[in-house]
Amino acid sequence: MQRIRIKKLLSEGIAGQDISVCGWVRTKRESKGIAFIALNDGSTQDTLQLVIPETSPAFQKLSQCNTGAAIRAAGVLKESPAKGQRFEVEVVSEIEVFGDADPATYPLQKKGHTLEFMREIGHLRPRTNTFGAVLRVRNILAEAVHEFFQDRGFIWVHTPIITASDCEGAGDLFTVTTLDLEKLPKGNGSVDFSQDFFGRRAFLTVSGQLEGEFLAMALGDVYTFGPTFRAENSNTSRHLSEFWMIEPEIAFANLRDDMELAGDFFRFLCERVLEKCESEIAFLEKFYKNTSIAELKTLSEKSFVHISYSDAIKELERAKEKFEFPVKWGLDLQSEHERYLTDKVYNGPVIVTDYPQEIKAFYMRLNDDGKTVAAMDVLVPKIGEIIGGSQREERLDVLTERMRESGIPFENMAWYLDLRRYGSAPHAGFGLGFERLVQYITGMQNIRDVIPCPRAPQTIKF
RNA sequence: UCCCGGGUAGCUCAGCCGGCAGAGCAGGUGGCUGUUAACCACCCUGUCGGGGGUUCGAAUCCCUCCCCGGGAGCCA
């Protein structure tokens, strides 16, 4: 008999049918003459209740069916006479035990475990309710990202993971090399990368944006969705050294269009999660209380509030709150300032736009005031920046001037300037940190808990 | 990288003004004809993070190193 996934069984099953299910035992409850097993196969948040009467040959196998054991069970699907589940399976024939799990040593027992403890057993934590929920939400979000852009005619482009451009200014880079680290070739005291694999120094990408721009200048609307690497020594609950980023780039568009896209995108993603992950969110709501179906519903319907940087500064100056860092036009917003805006003033996501040019990247389009640039940051409660974007500077003379001011070396940027030389057009885009999105939607407080194998300083075990 | 707070049983934690190492959960055994992180009874569990020092005596005080968490910076 073919195995059926529990998700399918619970939604499409018909009472009376013979079925075969495979999965891992979550809990076992034994009474005189009858036993119950809660079985999970990862396809859904819900467990399937197996009922094993004393008369079943399977009853003899119960001693091996401890929490964590992998089993197959065959029986009859029935409407459950008890509360807690609609269906259950009465196991009339044998249970096959693929692999048992010694309860004396198996770390996951039927009790609550802290997230900190689960981080130490990275290979087993996907078997918990919490990680099952988070990883299924992550999957639905990834699918929804493609659905959103594909439906709007965006082309998914694959920008390189290994790159030579080191001038984007977004944090420290990992070097990629095949040189013998024991005896590095030296020239003028420093390493001679001309002898390296690519003939020059290469890095892991920190952003696909610059490549995304030239693809948008040919294909119109594009997006990337891939891994990104930052070698910053960041030890926080919202930074990873390896994370996934989504970067749409849209041609013939300005900051307004960019903001609208970001808002539509975000709302769509919330909508899909509500539609497809209700039991996952309900579980996370019940156990962690940092997300809720009601909150996601609000997010899926509400437009982002937006405020200019200058107005945000005025708002902060008016605040009764005492800030540790100074509030002054020209200074960057600190975490405490962002949190004040999202948590206290607006109680939800906020887009801050038009920052002073000095505190933003060289490629952002200079506004007519000559002081600010067409930048936007989407800030959300608790996490802070989840999206960073801008309209790009498409005017050759303005761009070269800003590069000069920012000390960007021209030699490796010829191709980037070419885009402004030939058929230049207004364009804009943004970057969304995928794990921060998953974090926000699921309410997980630490970003290391929304990716199977977190990479961070001193952290690469699993 | 900086600032705080931690590290004691498999897990979560109490014990910390020095004096015999504790609880809850998990696990084991037995009981119970339908349980829902079942219930009841009994039982088991220790490199008190590592190293050094003070002391008659250190989980407890001091130094040092390691690890974890929270916050900050950098950013998505």
Side-chain angles (χ1 to χ4, degrees):
Chain A
M1 202 185 318
Q2 193 131 42
R3 108 171 148 107
I4 181 166
R5 287 207 172 83
I6 291 173
K7 185 188 174 87
K8 192 169 182 195
L9 189 69
L10 294 178
S11 60
E12 299 169 23
I14 299 159
Q17 74 183 126
D18 289 331
I19 56 95
S20 171
V21 284
C22 296
W24 292 269
V25 174
R26 280 292 168 78
T27 65
K28 176 179 65 176
R29 294 177 290 276
E30 289 176 280
S31 250
K32 192 175 177 74
I34 194 162
F36 302 91
I37 286 175
L39 193 72
N40 184 281
D41 70 355
S43 63
T44 169
Q45 193 69 28
D46 304 315
T47 54
L48 178 68
Q49 170 153 281
L50 306 178
V51 184
I52 304 112
E54 201 169 19
T55 50
S56 165
F59 205 80
Q60 309 309 314
K61 291 279 183 68
L62 282 174
S63 64
Q64 292 175 72
C65 297
N66 292 312
T67 299
I71 65 169
R72 185 180 65 79
V76 184
L77 189 67
K78 291 185 161 178
E79 304 263 356
S80 180
K83 281 182 187 167
Q85 59 280 318
R86 190 178 143 216
F87 285 123
E88 64 186 24
V89 170
E90 183 165 322
V91 180
V92 286
S93 49
E94 191 133 353
I95 279 180
E96 182 182 354
V97 178
F98 297 115
D100 62 357
D102 182 359
T105 55
Y106 185 59
L108 293 170
Q109 290 301 335
K110 50 175 176 179
K111 69 181 290 290
H113 294 288
T114 59
L115 294 166
E116 290 83 356
F117 173 63
M118 289 192 249
R119 270 170 228 151
E120 294 168 17
I121 46 166
H123 58 309
L124 297 173
R125 68 177 187 170
R127 301 188 189 188
T128 62
N129 285 324
T130 300
F131 283 87
V134 169
L135 293 175
R136 278 187 297 274
V137 171
R138 185 181 166 110
N139 169 61
I140 290 302
L141 281 168
E143 184 192 27
V145 165
H146 289 297
E147 186 187 350
F148 176 84
F149 287 120
Q150 293 296 329
D151 282 356
R152 289 174 173 235
F154 281 60
I155 310 290
W156 181 23
V157 293
H158 302 91
T159 50
I161 287 168
I162 301 174
T163 172
S165 72
D166 60 345
C167 52
E168 214 252 332
D172 297 337
L173 297 90
F174 288 102
T175 294
V176 176
T177 183
T178 54
L179 292 175
D180 183 349
L181 298 179
E182 302 298 328
K183 34 181 197 262
L184 292 168
K186 294 283 177 71
N188 299 331
S190 56
V191 177
D192 179 11
F193 282 102
S194 71
Q195 295 182 43
D196 201 353
F197 190 87
F198 296 105
R200 55 189 282 194
R201 192 167 183 180
F203 307 93
L204 291 179
T205 184
V206 291
S207 164
Q209 183 201 314
L210 301 189
E211 294 89 350
E213 283 190 51
F214 74 64
L215 291 159
M217 289 296 97
L219 299 166
D221 298 320
V222 302
Y223 70 105
T224 71
F225 185 4
T228 308
F229 307 87
R230 303 270 167 98
E232 281 289 326
N233 191 11
S234 293
N235 292 286
T236 80
S237 57
R238 56 187 188 284
H239 287 87
L240 289 168
S241 308
E242 175 182 295
F243 63 98
W244 287 62
M245 189 153 65
I246 297 142
E247 297 178 285
E249 193 69 34
I250 46 179
F252 312 109
N254 61 22
L255 189 67
R256 291 272 141 197
D257 303 315
D258 205 28
M259 287 163 64
E260 201 176 308
L261 181 70
D264 288 349
F265 183 44
F266 189 81
R267 282 186 292 278
F268 178 81
L269 296 172
C270 293
E271 218 174 276
R272 274 291 175 276
V273 168
L274 277 173
E275 226 170 87
K276 297 190 174 181
C277 304
E278 200 181 338
S279 56
E280 280 78 10
I281 298 299
F283 172 83
L284 295 167
E285 178 175 0
K286 186 175 160 199
F287 277 87
Y288 296 97
K289 300 182 172 59
N290 294 316
T291 185
S292 75
I293 290 171
E295 197 184 328
L296 284 182
K297 195 156 177 0
T298 309
L299 285 173
S300 72
E301 288 161 356
K302 201 166 86 177
S303 329
F304 289 153
V305 174
H306 70 256
I307 181 172
S308 70
Y309 166 88
S310 300
D311 287 344
I313 292 293
K314 282 180 202 156
E315 189 71 56
L316 291 165
E317 280 170 344
R318 262 204 301 277
K320 292 198 180 82
E321 197 119 336
K322 277 212 167 129
F323 296 118
E324 192 188 335
F325 293 93
V327 173
K328 195 182 156 203
W329 200 98
L331 297 180
D332 209 351
L333 300 180
Q334 302 291 316
S335 286
E336 56 172 349
H337 305 140
E338 295 179 351
R339 215 174 305 119
Y340 177 80
L341 293 172
T342 55
D343 297 19
K344 298 275 172 63
V345 183
Y346 298 108
N347 192 31
V350 179
I351 308 190
V352 181
T353 61
D354 303 297
Y355 286 81
Q357 63 165 72
E358 289 80 9
I359 59 175
K360 286 291 179 186
F362 72 95
Y363 52 72
M364 297 185 177
R365 192 179 194 277
L366 189 65
N367 286 329
D368 292 345
D369 62 13
K371 294 189 297 190
T372 60
V373 289
M376 65 161 186
D377 282 356
V378 178
L379 312 175
V380 297
K382 299 210 176 83
I383 294 162
E385 188 177 343
I386 197 169
I387 289 175
S390 67
Q391 184 174 343
R392 321 306 189 186
E393 184 55 74
E394 85 283 11
R395 298 162 296 187
L396 183 63
D397 53 336
V398 183
L399 183 62
T400 50
E401 181 51 32
R402 287 219 63 207
M403 282 172 65
R404 235 188 303 277
E405 283 167 12
S406 315
I408 305 291
F410 281 65
E411 61 267 25
N412 298 337
M413 293 296 283
W415 64 262
Y416 191 70
L417 292 170
D418 257 7
L419 301 177
R420 279 71 184 170
R421 214 166 260 130
Y422 310 113
S424 188
H427 60 292
F430 62 80
L432 169 85
F434 188 56
E435 283 74 16
R436 287 190 181 173
L437 172 77
V438 180
Q439 213 186 337
Y440 187 53
I441 300 277
T442 60
M444 286 288 104
Q445 300 201 311
N446 194 314
I447 200 164
R448 297 176 190 197
D449 298 332
V450 299
I451 186 167
C453 303
R455 296 288 175 261
Q458 303 299 313
T459 303
I460 197 165
K461 186 172 173 189
F462 299 104

